[in-house]
Amino acid sequence: MQYHDLQLFVMQDCLAYGEKIAQKLGVTLSPYEERRFEDGEHKCRPLVSVRGNNVFVIASFYQDTSLSVNDKLCRFLFFVGALHDASAGSITAIIPYMCYARKDRKTQFRDPVTTRYIAQLFEAVGLNRIVTLDIHNLQAYQNAFRIHSDHLEARKLFVHYFASILGSEECTVLSPDAGGMYRAEKFRASLEHLIGRDISLGFMEKHRSKGQVWGETIAGNVKDKSVIVVDDLISTGGTLARAAKACISLEAHRVWVCATHGLFLSNAFEALSISEIGKIVVTDTVVHQNFSSHSAFEKKTTVLDTSSMWAKAILRIHQGGSLVELLQD
C-alpha cells in the first residue's frame, strides 16, 4: 500500500533498518543519491520530486566501521537541506539513536551544551519535526528543540518480553543509578500491571569523577529474586556488570539487564559476558555485525525489533493522528 503524499528516505548507513520499517509500513523507499568526491566532500540529493509531500528521513547516529557519528550527522544535515530546498511540504526526522544526547548540560566551566547545538543545526537546515526513541534526558531533549519534538519508548517491548519468561518468580526492577529511577519505576509499574503481582524497585549507588566510576551499594531487596537492571543505553558495560555482581553478592537468584540502545563500546562484550549476567536484552536501534565473534555474549543476548513501532508512528504522524497510544500500556 502506498500512502498519498508520504515519502520515506533512509540514509545509506542504516538501510537494512529502514527497509524493515518500510516493509511494515507497506511503502517503497524513495531513491536518493549519496556521492563522495575525491577530496572527501560529499553530496546527497533526492532522485524523485518531493514537492509538497510529507517526507520522513530515517537516520541513526552511532559510530560504525565505515562512518563516524559526525560523518553521519553531516550527511544527514545536508540531505535535509536539499529536501527543504526541493520544496518538501514537511520533513520529519526518524532518529532511533540520537547522538550527543548525554551532553545536555555543563558539568565543568566553559563546557558545551551539545544537545542544544544539535537542535539548532536541525532547525537551521529546515527540519520540521523530530522523533526519537528513549532519549537519555527527556527534559533536556524537549527543551532543546523549538521544532515539534516527539519521543517514543521501548518499554512495552521489554515488559512483554520479560513477562513471557519471568514465570512465577519474584522480581525486582533495579536502576543502575539514582538518576534512572523514574525510568525504572515506569518499567516496574508496567510489568507489575501486566503480570498482576507485586514487583519491588531498587537502585545502585553510582559516583563519577574525572572519568572514574564507582559505587556498589544496593538500595532495595534483591535476595532470592530475579533482578531486571533497566537502563537507556549500554556503552562499555561497566556499570551494568558492577550492578550484576553486587546483586549476586546479595544472593539474587539471577540478574538480567536490558537497555534500548546497545552501543557496546571498548571491551563491553567481555565485560558483559560474566556469569553474573544471565541475559542481555536490547533493541535493534544500533546494528552490530560482530556478535558472532563473541560466542558467550551472543548466546545470552536478545535483540528486540522496533520496526513495527516506527511504522505505526510514521503513519500516525502522516495522517495527523496521535502518538499517545504507542506510549500507553
Side-chain angles (χ1 to χ4, degrees), residues 76-85 91 116-129 144-147:
F76 170 80
L77 290 171
F78 289 174
F79 184 55
V80 170
L83 292 169
H84 178 72
D85 288 347
I91 308 170
R116 175 160 51 84
Y117 309 155
I118 295 294
Q120 292 169 341
L121 287 171
F122 280 17
E123 294 162 10
V125 294
L127 192 69
N128 301 106
R129 187 172 194 157
F145 285 89
R146 293 176 296 177
I147 59 174

Side-chain angles (χ1 to χ4, degrees), residues 232-250:
D232 62 318
L233 63 87
I234 301 175
S235 181
T236 62
T239 295
L240 295 179
R242 195 172 69 255
K245 291 177 180 178
C247 289
I248 294 299
S249 71
L250 294 173

Side-chain angles (χ1 to χ4, degrees), residues 10-21 29 32:
V10 180
M11 302 306 292
Q12 197 65 38
D13 50 85
C14 61
L15 181 59
Y17 187 81
E19 286 175 338
K20 289 195 300 181
I21 297 173
L29 292 177
Y32 81 102

Side-chain angles (χ1 to χ4, degrees), residues 130-135 138 141-142 149-153 327:
I130 178 174
V131 192
T132 191
L133 177 65
D134 281 335
I135 199 77
L138 181 56
Y141 164 73
Q142 292 171 333
S149 57
D150 292 302
H151 178 257
L152 302 182
E153 298 176 356
L327 300 175

Side-chain angles (χ1 to χ4, degrees), residues 29 38-39 46 78 82 112 124 126 132 134 153 204 214 220 247 264 268 290 298 302 313-314:
L29 292 177
E38 291 79 2
D39 60 359
F78 289 174
T132 191
D134 281 335
E153 298 176 356
M204 185 180 73
W214 70 94
C247 289
F264 302 123
N290 53 350
E298 185 180 33
T302 298
I314 290 170

Side-chain angles (χ1 to χ4, degrees), residues 71-310:
D71 285 333
K72 292 183 178 182
L73 179 61
C74 187
R75 290 166 189 256
F76 170 80
L77 290 171
F78 289 174
F79 184 55
V80 170
L83 292 169
H84 178 72
D85 288 347
S87 301
S90 68
I91 308 170
T92 299
I94 302 296
I95 312 292
Y97 177 72
M98 183 66 182
C99 61
Y100 294 107
R102 288 180 282 180
K103 194 53 188 153
D104 54 27
R105 61 191 176 92
K106 292 177 182 254
T107 55
Q108 299 183 60
F109 296 118
R110 296 176 293 280
D111 251 4
V113 185
T114 318
T115 298
R116 175 160 51 84
Y117 309 155
I118 295 294
Q120 292 169 341
L121 287 171
F122 280 17
E123 294 162 10
V125 294
L127 192 69
N128 301 106
R129 187 172 194 157
I130 178 174
V131 192
T132 191
L133 177 65
D134 281 335
I135 199 77
H136 183 67
N137 184 331
L138 181 56
Q139 289 180 329
Y141 164 73
Q142 292 171 333
N143 289 331
F145 285 89
R146 293 176 296 177
I147 59 174
H148 198 134
S149 57
D150 292 302
H151 178 257
L152 302 182
E153 298 176 356
R155 184 178 72 253
K156 285 204 298 187
L157 296 177
F158 288 115
V159 165
H160 281 274
Y161 174 81
F162 282 108
S164 70
I165 66 173
L166 192 58
S168 60
E169 299 176 26
E170 292 190 11
C171 178
T172 293
V173 172
L174 185 79
S175 171
D177 55 54
M181 282 294 287
Y182 178 68
R183 180 186 304 108
E185 166 55 22
K186 290 178 69 177
F187 185 99
R188 184 207 64 79
S190 296
L191 184 58
E192 183 177 87
H193 175 75
L194 184 61
I195 66 176
R197 63 177 186 273
D198 291 342
I199 295 176
S200 58
L201 179 70
F203 71 94
M204 185 180 73
E205 68 167 332
K206 181 178 180 180
H207 305 285
R208 185 191 300 272
S209 178
K210 298 180 179 179
Q212 299 298 314
V213 180
W214 70 94
E216 297 178 354
T217 301
I218 299 288
N221 181 20
V222 299
K223 181 178 172 60
D224 298 325
K225 295 191 176 186
S226 291
V227 180
I228 304 174
V229 185
V230 179
D231 211 346
D232 62 318
L233 63 87
I234 301 175
S235 181
T236 62
T239 295
L240 295 179
R242 195 172 69 255
K245 291 177 180 178
C247 289
I248 294 299
S249 71
L250 294 173
E251 302 182 44
H253 175 55
R254 74 175 93 214
V255 178
W256 296 319
V257 303
C258 70
T260 303
H261 311 293
L263 296 176
F264 302 123
L265 306 176
S266 187
N267 296 318
F269 292 130
E270 290 78 8
L272 296 171
S273 295
I274 58 175
S275 60
E276 288 87 348
I277 296 177
K279 188 175 287 293
I280 302 161
V281 188
V282 294
T283 74
D284 55 356
T285 58
V286 177
V287 178
H288 290 273
Q289 306 295 333
N290 53 350
F291 276 7
S292 59
S293 61
H294 299 82
S295 57
F297 178 87
E298 185 180 33
K299 289 178 181 177
K300 66 172 67 178
T301 301
T302 298
V303 180
L304 304 181
D305 186 356
T306 59
S307 59
S308 291
M309 178 177 61
W310 282 116

